[in-house]
Amino acid sequence: MVDPSPPAAPDDAVARTRGALSRMGAPERLAAPLVAVLGPTADAQLTADPWRLLDLRSVTPEQADFCARTLLGEAARPDDPRRVRALVVHLLRRASRDGHTAVEYGRMARALRGLGVAAPDAALQAAAEDDRILLVEDLPEEDDDEFDGDLPEPPDPERFLALAALDGAERRLAAELVRLTASEPIMDSATATETVRTAAGALGRDPAPETVAALVTVALRGVTVLVCGPAAAAARIEAVRYAAAIAADSQVGMALVAPNASGAAALNRALAGEDVQARTVAAVLSDAAAVPAGLVVVDQATAVDTETFAALAAACPAEAHLVLLADPAQLPSAGPGQVVADLVASRAVAVAKLPDDPAAGPREALAAAVGEGRLPERVDAPGHEVVLVPAASAGEAAHRALQLVTDSVPRTFGVAGEQVPIVTAAPGGEAGAAALNTACKARFNPGPGRVGGLDVGDRVLLAGRGDGYAPGDTGVLRGHDGSGAAVELADGTTVTVTRPAHLRPGWAIPPAAALGGAWPAVVAVFTPDSALSRAALRTVLSLGERHVSVVDATGGALAEAVRGGARPSRSTRLARLLREG
């Protein structure tokens, strides 16, 4: 995957690349990013293959074609193998941003025809020779039914194209999960049952039979998905406590991992006073060593993408047990893949469901109703745990969201307004993240923007990956010097951000950045041009521990999306790889 904010490039290479860009009619401002991506010989590579411009995410095929024609003249043909290779990589990268780890061959061929490639089959074969691209052939999966007579003809293979690096990560993840599924039991079922009951008794509780059975599965099986819907929040925290008891009694140790800092902070609030301490995936992986635990529990696991999961699984020591706490009905990860859904579909790992709490509150009840395809016009929530706020336009939605974070929510729940994130699904405009962040900064921390448009005290969103942090982490900018910006993350840890492009305003964030997080109170905004789905609403309803306001300016489109049940569809190969493994 191309880093969106590569390091600075050497001046001489940038100067040469500016010359190459000038000769092909491209903006010279692209020189530094291209050198950072292609290396110090970027000028020579562009001269030999002008379609390498597409290595930059900001460049479109039409723009690259224009530059190629300027440089090559009539030699710039639509079926030029260089063009085709660049287009395939461009399309695969775009697909990965949509969550796919592989693209079906026929779909890629149709996309190439739309870009003027007359013979996409031959072109794809040529493109498969590029070391950035992998052509994968799978025989169709069939039932092992008995047959009479002659052997049947072998079926045609299913063909996929994938970015080689992403396919490698998916294969590594499958291999690591297969390794972990072979782990020996941590303890036998009778001992695990007694351990759970003893731990529950110490807390003055009587564990539900489903919870006991789920934790016995955790003790026995190497990889387990614990499904926990919105009404199973209490059972989820109890499961973490009981897993810690199993790890302590068996002396294998437990690591509790959250997708991001706000998720880790929420877990630590729920587990205050206990020996269990949650850390972020990024912090765990930054240790550059195996996770020092025989039981690794990943909370809100749907938020973790394929590449990150591959690294985490590889860091699990031999014979470790991996446990994923997840609601598969929520949105999948912001990065490529759908690991939890693929694990469940593969039937290669253990799956257990944690019980719902019959006394769950109005927010959990609404999330459950959304999962069933219902969005009521009004919600009975005496304690204002969840509020549906209608708005007639994006402008009104922005006004109501700001009123909620600056007045209503702080006054009702005693939470400081600057600590209440606005999760906006609007892609732009008055209710988009940019406009809302500008308004929030003026209200909460006005200043000249000395740190790339930000000031010390600003809420920030980390949009890149660095030492101890990952995309989606949020925190507060505490200082800045020659070594970088000091950001206090939501879990109380402080990281140094050396790349300015990783820092964004963080009062208002998109749903993709909020995945796996949790805050005491959240305001969510939906507009007609948002990506509306049942999973999107169910996800935002999970983000607030005490309160969620949903500002709905969709004119009924959100309710229609909930009824329709549309769910983002992703093309991945993990389930098949697990079955083969």
Side-chain angles (χ1 to χ4, degrees), residues 88-415:
V88 171
V89 172
H90 171 79
L91 291 169
L92 287 173
R93 285 175 176 159
R94 190 171 71 184
S96 74
R97 291 194 292 272
D98 291 335
H100 308 290
T101 61
V103 175
E104 193 268 328
Y105 190 94
R107 178 182 169 191
M108 179 65 74
R110 290 190 294 274
L112 287 174
R113 288 191 190 97
L115 291 168
V117 179
D121 285 347
L124 284 174
Q125 291 291 349
E129 298 174 2
D130 191 306
D131 59 7
R132 296 170 294 174
I133 307 164
L134 196 66
L135 177 64
V136 180
E137 293 190 344
D138 290 328
L139 289 176
E141 295 182 289
E142 296 181 348
D143 296 331
D144 295 328
D145 295 333
E146 294 184 3
F147 62 89
D148 297 321
D150 297 332
L151 288 172
E153 290 292 327
D156 293 332
E158 298 172 345
R159 296 184 293 176
F160 297 87
L161 285 163
L163 293 171
L166 188 51
D167 180 81
E170 195 165 40
R171 290 174 185 270
R172 286 194 301 276
L173 174 57
E176 295 294 346
L177 290 171
V178 168
R179 169 179 69 86
L180 293 171
T181 58
S183 297
E184 295 293 327
I186 291 175
M187 57 175 55
D188 62 69
S189 58
T191 305
T193 298
E194 182 60 29
T195 298
V196 171
R197 294 195 180 281
T198 300
L203 297 170
R205 296 179 182 141
D206 183 17
E210 299 94 331
T211 299
V212 175
L215 270 297
V216 168
T217 302
V218 165
L220 295 176
R221 300 290 293 274
V223 180
T224 305
V225 176
L226 294 185
V227 176
C228 37
R236 171 175 141 258
I237 298 301
E238 285 189 1
V240 172
R241 292 189 174 103
Y242 302 152
I246 289 174
D249 284 4
S250 60
Q251 299 183 338
V252 301
M254 186 178 96
L256 179 58
V257 184
N260 53 40
S262 63
L267 275 175
N268 290 332
R269 285 193 293 271
L271 298 166
E274 302 187 26
D275 293 334
V276 183
Q277 186 76 15
R279 300 178 67 203
T280 66
V281 177
V284 169
L285 295 179
S286 68
D287 291 343
V291 179
L295 182 58
V296 181
V297 179
V298 184
D299 191 41
Q300 303 289 350
T302 54
V304 185
D305 63 48
T306 295
E307 292 171 301
T308 305
F309 243 128
L312 180 61
C316 292
E319 298 301 317
H321 284 211
L322 179 64
V323 182
L324 311 184
L325 292 162
D327 178 2
Q330 290 188 14
L331 287 171
S333 57
Q338 49 180 14
V339 174
V340 170
D342 285 343
L343 284 173
V344 173
S346 74
R347 299 184 180 179
V349 304
V351 178
K353 187 179 185 303
L354 293 177
D356 291 342
D357 181 359
R363 181 176 58 83
E364 291 83 1
L366 178 59
V370 167
E372 297 168 358
R374 296 180 290 110
L375 178 58
E377 293 184 4
R378 303 182 68 178
V379 179
D380 183 16
H384 304 288
E385 297 90 344
V386 61
V387 178
L388 301 180
V389 183
S393 65
E396 184 181 346
H399 173 77
R400 290 186 175 275
L402 290 169
Q403 187 271 331
L404 285 162
V405 299
T406 58
D407 179 31
S408 300
V409 173
R411 176 164 39 84
T412 304
F413 294 94
V415 179

Side-chain angles (χ1 to χ4, degrees), residues 409 413 415 419-421 518-523 543-549:
V409 173
F413 294 94
V415 179
Q419 297 176 2
V420 180
W519 295 265
V522 170
V523 173
L543 300 176
E545 299 166 290
R546 296 168 57 195
H547 170 80
V548 175
S549 286

